[in-house]
Amino acid sequence: MESLYTKYRPHNWDSVIGQESVVKILKRQIETGKIFNCMIFSGVSGTGKTTAARIFANELNKGIGRPIEIDAASNNGVDNVRQITATASERALDSEYKVIIIDECHMMSTAAWNAFLKCIEEPPHYTIFIFCTTEPHKIPETIQNRCMRFNFTRVPTNLIERRLNYICEQENIISPIYKWNEGATNYIARISDGEVRKAISYLETCIKYNNDLSIENILSALGNSSYDNYFILINNLVDGNSKEVMESLSKLYNSGIDMKRFVNLFTDFCFDILKYILCGTVQVTKIPDHYNEQLKFATNFSNNVKYYNYFIDKLISLRTMIKDDSNEFLTIQIIFNQMVRFV
């Protein structure tokens, strides 16, 4: 069965979201006929790098032929590069330009990049290289200096939410068959870190979990159903309730949860609360809207910024301490006991 991300992957410039500057320059190249032979598309996963490369290839060749796509994660040696450069020197039989898209190009070895250097420095005019990467700093300077670089930014939450709503409408999710909460796509968009692919994947997971797309079911489907426990724990920390804090930690530990992951998630949670205090809105956090009253209660005391900055500092230190700790639960208990006592 085709995934939602594959089904709704953009096939033209109009459906690419959040990358207006990049799209404008790419379209301008095609309009003027002044094509860069070597380009680097860099940015976090799920922001449209490979998609834009495919659309560019299709528009450039007026829908004729297909680009050559190579996964550098599994084709990163010198011999692989020699095959690519040999292919690049031959004209395309079914289109005007031969477009070669190299995904995860940062995985290539130094020797492989060196083998690429001559071809990139003097590419055939009919061959276009597009290097896609999430880690551009791993590409040698000698290569970067010979390529035009395009930075794909994280997509704004409101644009991701709009895209999710469109998919829901197309899939009849906003219909009597499903129970749909208006805050559902907003929450999914906020926790996707600006990555459209991740957001659509989250939406699909939630749909498969339950037809009722309530916030509660979404939290359960995505494994983020601990907010109630987090609020109980943070309130006990603020109130100095050592016994309740130790009991909460023991309950988490006995449930089989990965305690290192818990510390990471709880750090994010505390930082979200700090952002809420500073900005005055839940929209800057990953916490669902319906926890607004709990947020108000958890921040309704004097010196709240000082408290949460202190908690975050302690948790960041704790993350480092338990990284290679064979008895991390004991260390976690000690640090949380210090947090209760504000020491």
Side-chain angles (χ1 to χ4, degrees):
M1 182 178 176
E2 188 178 31
S3 69
L4 288 181
Y5 179 74
T6 302
K7 184 175 181 179
Y8 291 98
R9 191 167 197 159
H11 296 290
N12 55 59
W13 295 128
D14 291 338
S15 54
V16 175
I17 62 173
Q19 310 298 342
E20 289 79 8
S21 297
V22 171
V23 169
K24 183 177 181 179
I25 297 172
L26 293 176
K27 289 171 69 175
R28 184 67 178 161
Q29 285 188 61
I30 297 171
E31 290 167 2
T32 61
K34 297 178 180 179
I35 312 299
F36 298 119
N37 287 92
C38 301
M39 293 178 277
I40 295 173
F41 288 5
S42 67
V44 297
S45 298
T47 51
K49 300 183 296 298
T50 305
T51 294
R54 290 174 179 174
I55 295 173
F56 179 79
N58 187 62
E59 294 289 325
L60 183 64
N61 285 316
K62 299 179 175 59
I64 301 172
R66 296 176 65 84
I68 298 170
E69 295 190 37
I70 298 166
D71 177 18
S74 52
N75 298 277
N76 52 19
V78 174
D79 290 340
N80 299 120
V81 171
R82 286 173 178 161
Q83 291 176 5
I84 295 169
T85 54
T87 300
S89 65
E90 301 169 354
R91 292 187 60 87
L93 297 177
D94 55 357
S95 58
E96 183 177 355
Y97 291 93
K98 176 175 286 187
V99 181
I100 301 175
I101 302 170
I102 303 179
D103 233 333
E104 306 295 335
C105 68
H106 57 271
M107 300 290 287
M108 289 200 294
S109 64
T110 302
W113 279 118
N114 289 336
F116 238 133
L117 190 58
K118 183 65 176 177
C119 185
I120 292 176
E121 194 167 34
E122 298 177 0
H125 74 276
Y126 47 78
T127 299
I128 311 297
F129 286 106
I130 301 178
F131 300 98
C132 299
T133 178
T134 57
E135 301 182 58
H137 59 279
K138 291 185 178 181
I139 300 175
E141 285 290 333
T142 51
I143 300 296
Q144 293 195 43
N145 293 339
R146 291 164 171 78
C147 297
M148 174 62 68
R149 178 170 164 179
F150 295 88
N151 295 319
F152 285 69
T153 59
R154 294 184 188 275
V155 179
T157 298
N158 65 311
L159 297 183
I160 295 178
E161 182 181 2
R162 190 184 306 167
R163 185 64 176 173
L164 295 179
N165 286 336
Y166 169 77
I167 293 172
C168 286
E169 290 169 0
Q170 296 300 307
E171 295 293 313
N172 290 319
I173 293 168
I174 305 177
S175 71
I177 300 173
Y178 292 89
K179 294 180 182 178
W180 182 76
N181 183 297
E182 288 188 0
T185 49
N186 175 267
Y187 173 67
I188 293 172
R190 293 212 316 262
I191 65 172
S192 64
D193 297 321
E195 301 176 28
V196 182
R197 181 170 58 220
K198 182 188 289 186
I200 296 174
S201 176
Y202 283 165
L203 176 64
E204 187 164 22
T205 299
C206 295
I207 293 168
K208 290 179 178 178
Y209 177 78
N210 198 307
N211 284 358
D212 180 1
L213 294 184
S214 65
I215 291 295
E216 290 76 12
N217 283 336
I218 287 174
L219 291 173
S220 296
L222 300 179
N224 296 336
S225 57
S226 300
Y227 282 113
D228 289 322
N229 293 329
Y230 289 168
F231 275 110
I232 292 171
L233 181 55
I234 199 67
N235 287 325
N236 281 321
L237 282 169
V238 171
D239 294 337
N241 298 328
S242 299
K243 179 176 179 293
E244 287 78 1
V245 169
M246 293 300 111
E247 287 177 348
S248 293
L249 292 175
S250 294
K251 185 177 180 180
L252 286 167
Y253 180 73
N254 292 329
S255 70
I257 191 172
D258 182 337
M259 294 304 291
K260 290 179 181 177
R261 182 171 185 270
F262 156 72
V263 172
N264 288 334
L265 293 175
F266 194 67
T267 305
D268 291 344
F269 172 73
C270 288
F271 186 56
D272 270 343
I273 294 181
L274 181 60
K275 288 191 289 185
Y276 170 79
I277 296 170
L278 297 174
C279 301
T281 173
V282 71
Q283 288 297 313
V284 298
T285 77
K286 296 178 182 178
I287 300 172
D289 290 350
H290 77 284
Y291 282 103
N292 202 44
E293 290 303 315
Q294 288 94 321
L295 273 168
K296 289 179 181 178
F297 183 77
T299 56
N300 187 24
F301 58 92
S302 60
N303 295 323
N304 51 15
V305 172
K306 180 180 178 181
Y307 265 75
Y308 280 103
N309 271 319
Y310 166 76
F311 289 154
I312 292 166
D313 285 344
K314 294 293 284 187
L315 289 165
I316 290 173
S317 297
L318 177 59
R319 287 164 67 164
T320 303
M321 292 167 66
I322 63 175
K323 186 176 180 181
D324 299 309
D325 195 341
S326 59
N327 190 5
E328 71 268 15
F329 183 52
L330 176 60
T331 306
I332 291 169
Q333 287 177 301
I334 292 170
I335 297 301
F336 269 77
N337 187 53
Q338 292 176 356
M339 290 165 65
V340 172
R341 299 175 184 278
F342 211 78
V343 295

